[in-house]
Amino acid sequence: MQTVQQLQVKKGNEVHAVGPDASVVDAIRKMAEHDVGALVVLDDDKLVGIFTERHYAREVFLKGRRSPTTPVREIMSTHVMCVRPEETVDECMAVMTDKHVRHLPVLDQGKLIGIVSIGDLVKSKNADQQFVIDQLVQYIQR
């Protein structure tokens, strides 16, 4: 079973972040620039929240708020579900399913070292399944 740490070796540890005082429009621009669906919110390198496309849709767009004048701190989630590098892909998927989240920051001894998305986990599971299929096909063809 693949761990978050093994997954990060393949995908990298790049984390895109924004400060809590950044405007929502700046956060959305950054997400578009990096083609990501979430940004961690850091205040002096401390994880204080997470901002996602879902936050924008529900807390800005649907409520008629203005993106250029609304700070991220007003709409971000401050209760952030996180995982450790030694947790498995299946454990992460269970957390995401149970807590209805699509992104999990990765903390190692309290330090932010990455982020995993549901897409990362699905790719990992698909690769694992393809490996098993290939092994079974090779076994059958012997």
Side-chain angles (χ1 to χ4, degrees), residues 7 11 18 20 22 29 31 36-37 44 49 55 78 83-84 94 114 118 126:
L7 179 65
K11 84 165 236 166
V18 68
R29 281 189 187 117
M31 290 166 65
V36 296
D44 291 328
H55 291 108
T78 56
V83 293
R84 297 179 315 278
I118 189 68
N126 286 345

Side-chain angles (χ1 to χ4, degrees), residues 8-74:
Q8 284 193 282
V9 167
K10 292 177 186 172
K11 84 165 236 166
N13 291 355
E14 187 173 19
V15 178
H16 301 289
V18 68
D21 294 322
S23 70
V24 167
V25 73
D26 288 339
I28 292 292
R29 281 189 187 117
K30 189 168 197 172
M31 290 166 65
E33 175 185 336
H34 296 289
D35 194 27
V36 296
L39 298 172
V40 293
V41 183
L42 300 177
D43 193 6
D44 291 328
D45 292 330
K46 181 179 183 251
L47 179 65
V48 295
I50 192 164
F51 173 76
T52 68
E53 293 166 329
R54 187 179 285 177
H55 291 108
Y56 173 75
R58 293 179 181 181
E59 297 299 324
V60 178
F61 183 78
L62 287 178
K63 292 185 178 178
R65 296 171 94 169
R66 294 184 34 95
S67 299
T69 58
T70 303
V72 168
R73 77 168 58 254
E74 288 183 11

Side-chain angles (χ1 to χ4, degrees), residues 1 8 17 20 26 32 55 76-77 101 123 141:
M1 183 63 48
Q8 284 193 282
D26 288 339
H55 291 108
M76 68 183 187
S77 287
V101 297
K123 284 179 195 172
Q141 291 177 345

Side-chain angles (χ1 to χ4, degrees), residues 2 17 62 71 73 108 128:
Q2 190 172 45
L62 287 178
R73 77 168 58 254
D108 189 13
D128 287 348

